[in-house]
Amino acid sequence: SQLAEENPWALSVHEGESVTVNCSYKTSITALQWYRQKSGEGPAQLILIRSNEREKRNGRLRATLDTSSQSSSLSITATRCEDTAVYFCATARTGGYKVVFGSGTRLLVSP
Amino acid sequence: NAGVIQTPRHKVTGKGQEATLWCEPISGHSAVFWYRQTIVQGLEFLTYFRNQAPIDDSGMPKERFSAQMPNQSHSTLKIQSTQPQDSAVYLCASSLVVGGEQYFGPGTRLTVL
């Protein structure tokens, strides 16, 4: 079973709109990572949020973490066409090295 | 810094042939990971090296898949007797420290006919 899972499976918005991707995970973690993968590229980390943090920002991106409900969210404000990508959350068990990725949320931003 | 380099970017093999995929991690990174990505299975962990030593190959299909890291500047993933179900994008990633941010290469798209 997946250690982490994003929802929804896909999203479609217009440029300028805001969007939120959610992630639920199943294990005790030291940190949760959000990655973005554009077509033809490998995933690239957007934000790493540690278990003792509740919120982290990176430009137009904002990640939250709720360890009590084992959930996280990634919000993108003022979306752009270049934000079109698959967004993954990824976790590793506390003390572990193996980062496990969810199946991703496919975001399409159209003009 | 060129990032993680993977070669070739695309490889087409016939069923039963061997395929060798190459990865050059970012200089100074102690951890190297291999993943396989398909539409159906998503991003699957294959194997992990730390300071060139194989640590975990629990994700590797048995018998036909092998990975090596002969020196700190490159790792190889070899698939013997390739099968159509091996068709996927194979991604290599490296990280400075275990559990830290992983930097991915662009991947090698393997197509087995």
Side-chain angles (χ1 to χ4, degrees):
Chain A
S1 63
Q2 293 278 39
L3 280 183
E5 197 64 44
E6 303 86 350
N7 72 82
W9 190 81
L11 279 171
S12 181
V13 298
H14 290 101
E15 265 194 319
E17 294 179 343
S18 296
V19 68
T20 297
V21 178
N22 298 297
C23 170
S24 59
Y25 60 92
K26 296 181 179 179
T27 184
S28 175
I29 60 171
T30 52
L32 183 142
Q33 303 177 49
W34 283 97
Y35 283 81
R36 175 175 64 192
Q37 184 176 24
K38 296 186 176 183
S39 180
E41 300 178 5
Q45 190 191 71
L46 299 174
I47 291 180
L48 183 152
I49 183 165
R50 302 194 185 282
S51 59
N52 61 350
E53 298 176 308
R54 291 297 168 258
E55 178 181 304
K56 196 122 179 229
R57 293 177 183 266
N58 179 6
R60 296 181 294 111
L61 307 176
R62 172 177 170 262
T64 65
L65 181 65
D66 184 343
T67 52
S68 62
S69 63
Q70 295 190 319
S71 64
S72 177
S73 69
L74 176 71
S75 298
I76 308 173
T77 57
T79 54
R80 305 168 181 167
C81 289
E82 54 262 38
D83 294 328
T84 293
V86 181
Y87 290 79
F88 297 95
C89 63
T91 60
R93 287 190 173 93
T94 299
Y97 55 81
K98 188 185 298 184
V99 176
V100 177
F101 291 77
S103 53
T105 290
R106 290 129 195 88
L107 173 64
L108 173 64
V109 182
S110 48
Chain B
N1 188 343
V4 175
I5 298 172
Q6 289 190 252
T7 55
R9 291 295 310 275
H10 303 272
K11 186 169 183 67
V12 180
T13 65
K15 182 179 174 180
Q17 293 184 329
E18 181 178 288
T20 299
L21 313 181
W22 296 73
C23 170
E24 181 179 330
I26 293 173
S27 178
H29 281 195
S30 63
V32 173
F33 301 82
W34 283 95
Y35 295 87
R36 177 170 63 182
Q37 187 172 34
T38 62
I39 297 293
V40 174
Q41 298 295 332
L43 200 58
E44 299 176 281
F45 167 86
L46 292 177
T47 189
Y48 158 57
F49 294 86
R50 185 173 65 218
N51 294 324
Q52 298 174 234
I55 302 298
D56 183 347
D57 66 353
S58 60
M60 296 275 274
K62 302 306 178 193
E63 297 177 357
R64 298 187 297 107
F65 283 61
S66 63
Q68 295 182 330
M69 191 161 184
N71 57 61
Q72 63 185 6
S73 64
H74 89 272
S75 175
T76 58
L77 178 67
K78 183 179 292 185
I79 308 171
Q80 295 178 311
S81 186
T82 54
Q83 303 297 310
Q85 60 265 31
D86 298 331
S87 296
V89 175
Y90 290 83
L91 291 158
C92 175
S94 69
S95 65
L96 186 61
V97 295
V98 174
E101 177 180 358
Q102 294 188 26
Y103 294 80
F104 283 80
T108 294
R109 181 175 295 278
L110 175 66
T111 302
V112 182
L113 302 176

